[in-house]
Amino acid sequence: MNRSVISGAGAMLLAASLPGCASAELAGPSTQEVIVSAYVEAYNTRDLAAMEALMHPQIQWIAVENGKSVVAADGREELAAQMKSYLASPTATNSTLDNAAVSGRFVAVKETAHWKGANGRDASQSSIAVYELDGGLVRRVWYYPAE
């Protein structure tokens, strides 16, 4: 069994038994995490309409490389046009999210892209991505270099 699960459960029981402490509950994902997850799930299922529904009209897709930020798509129409072409490609990837950290309207995640390589083997690479939300919609996404 995972030690962090045991430690976490022990800490909750200890906190619940201390005077003045409310009963401990496991918190589910934040609203921000749910929105980002829904956006990535729409990408994974190639549902461009669902992605567009989660895009702010002035969404920006920003690539961060070599200390510079480059706006790769500016606005819902431009990003949707790029995604339509990409999602139709046989080389489109699927993504998974890990280790979400939420700070107000920002959600930072480790995003791992998965695909089949030319040799037929599974391949993947991970990046740090930061999603900015505005009114329940994805306003900006910063992608850092893949490792």
Side-chain angles (χ1 to χ4, degrees), residues 29-30 32-34 36-37 97-103 106-111 129:
S30 67
Q32 299 92 319
E33 290 172 279
V34 170
V36 170
S37 292
L97 303 177
D98 292 305
N99 304 321
V102 178
S103 180
F106 296 96
V107 180
V109 295
K110 175 184 172 189
E111 190 162 333

Side-chain angles (χ1 to χ4, degrees), residues 17 21 29 34 52 57 63 65 73 79 84 87 100 104 111 116 124-125 138 141 143-144 147:
S17 68
C21 287
V34 170
E52 286 183 273
E65 293 202 29
L79 181 55
K84 182 177 182 180
L87 293 174
E111 190 162 333
K116 289 277 185 196
S124 66
Q125 64 183 22
V138 178
V141 183
Y143 269 90
Y144 289 81
E147 296 289 328

